[in-house]
């Protein structure tokens, strides 16, 4: 017998709320992110992402960080 560990995945979808251009040229973007889990459950949280301009990127920016604001009960 070979035991295969079951694996799932989570998909993330963001809905734009607002953005702010920072003094250093970076952009802070606020979104509402919905996590759709492999078992059919979903949760929605706030998310704050920091982008910087990047001419080498096809999108024109690079994401420096993207922080999902989980509430204490969800963790």
């Amino acid at each position: 017998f070979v035991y295969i560990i079951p694996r799932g995945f989570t998909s993330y979808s963001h809905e734009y709320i607002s953005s702010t251009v920072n003094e250093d040229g970076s952009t802070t973007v606020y979104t509402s992110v919905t996590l759709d889990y492999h078992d059919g459950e979903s949760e929605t949280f706030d998310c704050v992402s920091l982008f910087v301009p990047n001419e080498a990127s096809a999108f024109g920016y690079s994401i420096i960080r993207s922080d999902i604001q989980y509430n204490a009960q969800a963790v």
Side-chain angles (χ1 to χ4, degrees):
F1 294 96
V2 175
Y3 181 72
I4 299 174
I5 299 171
R7 297 181 185 204
F9 63 91
T10 301
S11 64
Y12 297 76
S13 58
H14 291 261
E15 182 178 332
Y16 175 81
I17 297 173
S18 67
S19 62
T20 303
V21 177
N22 304 313
E23 292 180 11
D24 63 356
S26 64
T27 303
T28 302
V29 178
Y30 302 90
T31 59
S32 175
V33 60
T34 300
L35 284 63
D36 292 312
Y37 303 111
H38 68 278
D39 62 0
E41 297 289 322
S42 66
E43 294 183 281
T44 301
F45 302 101
D46 293 331
C47 184
V48 180
S49 301
L50 181 65
F51 292 79
V52 294
N54 179 355
E55 293 179 11
S57 168
F59 301 103
Y61 292 90
S62 290
I63 298 174
I64 299 302
R65 71 173 182 267
S66 188
D67 300 317
I68 297 174
Q69 309 296 311
Y70 296 101
N71 59 34
Q73 296 172 344
V75 174

